[in-house]
Amino acid sequence: MTETPTAPTTSVLIVDDQPMQRFGFRMLLESQDDMKVAGEAGTGTEAVRLAAELAPDVVLMDIRMPGMDGIEATRRIIERGPVPRILILTTFDMDEYAYAGLRAGASGFLVKDALPEELLAGIRAVAAGDAIVAPGLTRRLLDAYVHHLPAAPGAPAALDPRVAALTDREREILTVIARGWTNTEIAQRLHLAESTVKTHISRILAKTGARDRVQAVIVAYDAKLVEPT
């Protein structure tokens, strides 16, 4: 008799300064067969330490905490590498700090009052290497947050080494990704096979050093390939 393969288990580090919030997240995650709680942290400093010690697959990262906030904790975790996927949790969906968290290296964000199934889907998506911010929402998100931050230092797009390394086609695809196009839309509008689009995106991620689609979009904004509306 053939055994059914066991689904991989995603380990999650919960970071929030509110004990009741952490308890709620733990109860939800422990109800899932494919998830386990690696640990809990109540401060950014503790999150950095536990991320290194426990090597979770995903970190649920609160932004506003006393002492080291979630943005700085995200930055430090990313700098240490290899790193888990970080999912920023915000109180408000227009929280200007969410973009700063993405720029620090997070793979996406969710609001704290998201439905349980939305949070679980977000964790699974991030663990699988996808960006939790849906492609169609990417431009709205970054347009909203980029106005709150100073422009990233560096050279113009033509001299940005991450962009200069791309072929003309790859630069074109990066630009339309930043405009919120899905893979299907890119394939249809640029007359490419969807598998070819995926190959181009994989090369774009490798050349720019971006960890996922959201990070690639931030590169496009930093390099001025696109501008906020």
Side-chain angles (χ1 to χ4, degrees):
M1 186 170 102
T2 303
E3 293 185 2
T4 303
T6 303
T9 300
T10 299
S11 60
V12 182
L13 173 62
I14 301 169
V15 183
D16 197 292
D17 65 334
Q18 298 296 322
M20 285 302 297
Q21 189 79 61
R22 296 199 305 271
F23 177 77
F25 287 142
R26 173 180 283 276
M27 293 294 291
L28 176 63
L29 298 180
E30 289 181 343
S31 70
Q32 304 300 302
D33 293 336
D34 62 338
M35 294 185 190
K36 66 178 181 180
V37 176
E40 297 180 18
T43 66
T45 301
E46 191 177 13
V48 174
R49 178 179 62 81
L50 289 179
E53 291 180 4
L54 303 175
D57 299 311
V58 175
V59 177
L60 285 181
M61 181 70 76
D62 187 21
I63 288 184
R64 300 177 182 180
M65 295 180 287
M68 184 190 299
D69 64 18
I71 295 172
E72 181 60 26
T74 294
R75 185 177 295 110
R76 295 193 186 190
I77 291 171
I78 295 296
E79 286 174 351
R80 290 190 173 190
V83 297
R85 300 285 176 172
I86 298 178
L87 186 56
I88 291 288
L89 296 172
T90 70
T91 304
F92 305 104
D93 62 359
M94 293 304 287
D95 186 344
E96 66 189 64
Y97 296 107
Y99 179 77
L102 295 177
R103 174 166 275 172
S107 294
F109 85 105
L110 286 172
V111 291
K112 283 188 175 181
D113 60 357
L115 296 174
E117 55 267 30
E118 292 174 337
L119 177 61
L120 295 172
I123 293 171
R124 292 186 178 107
V126 166
D130 295 329
I132 184 53
V133 182
L137 299 178
T138 300
R139 180 163 186 169
R140 169 185 167 275
L141 167 73
L142 295 179
D143 279 353
Y145 297 145
V146 77
H147 291 292
H148 294 282
L149 298 171
L159 300 179
D160 189 308
R162 298 169 298 178
V163 174
L166 302 178
T167 65
D168 290 343
R169 175 63 90 180
E170 289 165 351
R171 189 177 294 110
E172 178 183 26
I173 290 176
L174 176 57
T175 300
V176 297
I177 287 174
R179 289 175 178 161
W181 292 19
T182 65
N183 287 2
T184 300
E185 289 171 334
I186 295 171
Q188 292 173 345
R189 298 181 189 184
L190 300 185
H191 307 290
L192 298 171
E194 197 158 339
S195 59
T196 302
V197 172
K198 291 178 180 178
T199 298
H200 279 306
I201 292 174
S202 294
R203 290 173 178 166
I204 290 167
L205 296 181
K207 290 182 179 181
T208 61
R211 296 172 60 235
D212 52 41
R213 195 183 192 103
V214 164
Q215 296 303 313
V217 172
I218 290 174
V219 168
Y221 271 75
D222 284 346
K224 307 300 183 185
L225 290 181
V226 289
E227 296 284 350
T229 55

